[in-house]
């Protein structure tokens, strides 16, 4: 969608279209929709409320975030990003995020935070492989009971990520998400097993690389077998919490279509990308 124009939501019609797209994305009964009044006020206070518009004026996607102060520095929290289903994987989400980055920088922000469900492989690929974020914090049930039909039955566990705005982004070990571009030491690293003894100080490559597997499509798993989806949540929750406690970082994510899985690559001490 190279002909899409990204600009601030400038009129009430723009903002109403944004609210409509929120409901189309997260469900008609989505209880966390941001109304036009808050979209307006956020823009006045350094926040971002912008849309990607087709030449005919149709809203194709949007991004919304708030700017504030954390421990004396200006930061930006990206609250929502949505792109129409037929345009996903076409680069429009990345363009919206980069537009938001530039706007947040102009407001003086040093870092941008946002949360996402670590079981959603598409979002993990965008965040770690394309944008170059770092994992900051794992939060259990961050938003309480889900009101979106997309998340109902999975809870609202979220991985909070940080995107540096004054430093270079983190380089992924697998920018394309294709396992073929990974060295075997990363692609074939053992999974992180909850309960295993800590490998100790990060000195040897064999003990510095781990993987966390997730489904390629968690929503398909949820639709077919809610109990299986719940197991994925429990197991990955424990794994991510352990990884962050032990000082591992997410170096990238690769897809294994044959196994219907994606794998987070975790490194500790080594710079894999």
């Amino acid at each position: 969608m190279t002909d899409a124009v990204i600009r601030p939501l400038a009129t009430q019609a723009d903002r109403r279209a944004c609210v409509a797209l929120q409901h189309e994305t997260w469900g008609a009964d989505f209880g966390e929709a941001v109304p036009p009044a808050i979209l307006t006020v956020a823009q006045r206070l350094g926040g971002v409320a912008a849309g990607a518009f087709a030449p005919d004026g149709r809203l194709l996607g949007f991004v919304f975030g708030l700017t504030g102060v954390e421990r004396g520095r200006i930061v930006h929290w990206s609250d929502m990003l949505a792109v129409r289903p037929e345009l996903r994987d076409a680069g429009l989400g990345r363009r919206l995020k980069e537009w938001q980055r530039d706007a947040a920088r102009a407001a003086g922000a040093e870092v941008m935070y946002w949360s996402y469900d670590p079981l959603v492989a598409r979002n993990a690929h965008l965040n770690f492989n394309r944008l170059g974020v770092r994992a900051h914090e794992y939060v259990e049930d961050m938003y309480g009971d889900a009101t979106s039909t997309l998340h109902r039955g999975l809870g609202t566990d979220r991985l909070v990520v940080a995107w540096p705005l004054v430093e270079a982004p983190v380089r992924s070990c697998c920018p394309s998400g294709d396992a073929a571009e990974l060295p075997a030491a990363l692609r074939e690293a053992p999974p992180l097993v909850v309960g295993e003894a800590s490998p100790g100080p990060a000195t040897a490559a064999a003990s510095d690389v781990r993987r966390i597997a997730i489904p390629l499509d968690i929503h398909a798993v949820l639709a077919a077998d809610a109990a299986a989806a719940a197991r994925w949540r429990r197991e990955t929750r424990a794994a991510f919490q352990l990884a962050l406690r032990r000082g591992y970082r997410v170096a990238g994510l690769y897809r294994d279509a044959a196994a219907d899985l994606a794998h987070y690559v975790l490194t500790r001490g080594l710079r894999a990308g």
Side-chain angles (χ1 to χ4, degrees), residues 127-205:
N127 291 337
F128 289 101
N129 291 341
R130 297 300 194 191
L131 298 177
V133 304
R134 61 178 176 82
H136 179 70
E137 182 182 7
Y138 189 98
V139 184
E140 294 185 31
D141 281 324
M142 184 169 184
Y143 301 109
D145 294 335
T147 62
S148 166
T149 54
L150 285 178
H151 304 126
R152 200 162 294 147
L154 275 178
T156 56
D157 280 25
R158 294 292 181 266
L159 190 63
V160 176
V161 297
W163 199 21
L165 301 183
V166 295
E167 304 168 357
V170 179
R171 182 184 174 191
S172 170
C173 65
C174 193
S176 71
D178 183 355
E181 74 174 309
L182 274 173
L186 299 184
R187 186 175 61 251
E188 299 169 5
L192 183 68
V193 177
V194 176
E196 73 174 1
S198 172
T203 56

Side-chain angles (χ1 to χ4, degrees), residues 14-24 33-36 39 59:
D14 288 348
R15 298 178 188 110
R16 286 193 296 270
C18 176
V19 175
L21 184 52
Q22 291 176 53
H23 287 294
E24 289 174 35
V34 180
L39 294 171
L59 182 65

Side-chain angles (χ1 to χ4, degrees), residues 71-151:
R71 295 190 294 275
R73 65 174 181 169
I74 299 175
V75 301
H76 186 83
W77 184 279
S78 180
D79 187 55
M80 287 185 176
L81 171 70
V83 173
R84 293 193 179 279
E86 66 272 17
L87 297 174
R88 291 171 191 165
D89 300 321
L92 192 55
R94 182 177 182 177
R95 286 184 59 200
L96 281 163
K97 211 73 174 181
E98 290 172 344
W99 195 98
Q100 183 183 25
R101 174 198 62 197
D102 294 342
R105 277 178 178 160
E110 298 180 24
V111 64
M112 184 189 300
Y113 297 108
W114 64 89
S115 66
Y116 83 100
D117 187 337
L119 285 176
V120 179
R122 174 187 285 112
N123 291 349
H125 172 66
L126 171 64
N127 291 337
F128 289 101
N129 291 341
R130 297 300 194 191
L131 298 177
V133 304
R134 61 178 176 82
H136 179 70
E137 182 182 7
Y138 189 98
V139 184
E140 294 185 31
D141 281 324
M142 184 169 184
Y143 301 109
D145 294 335
T147 62
S148 166
T149 54
L150 285 178
H151 304 126

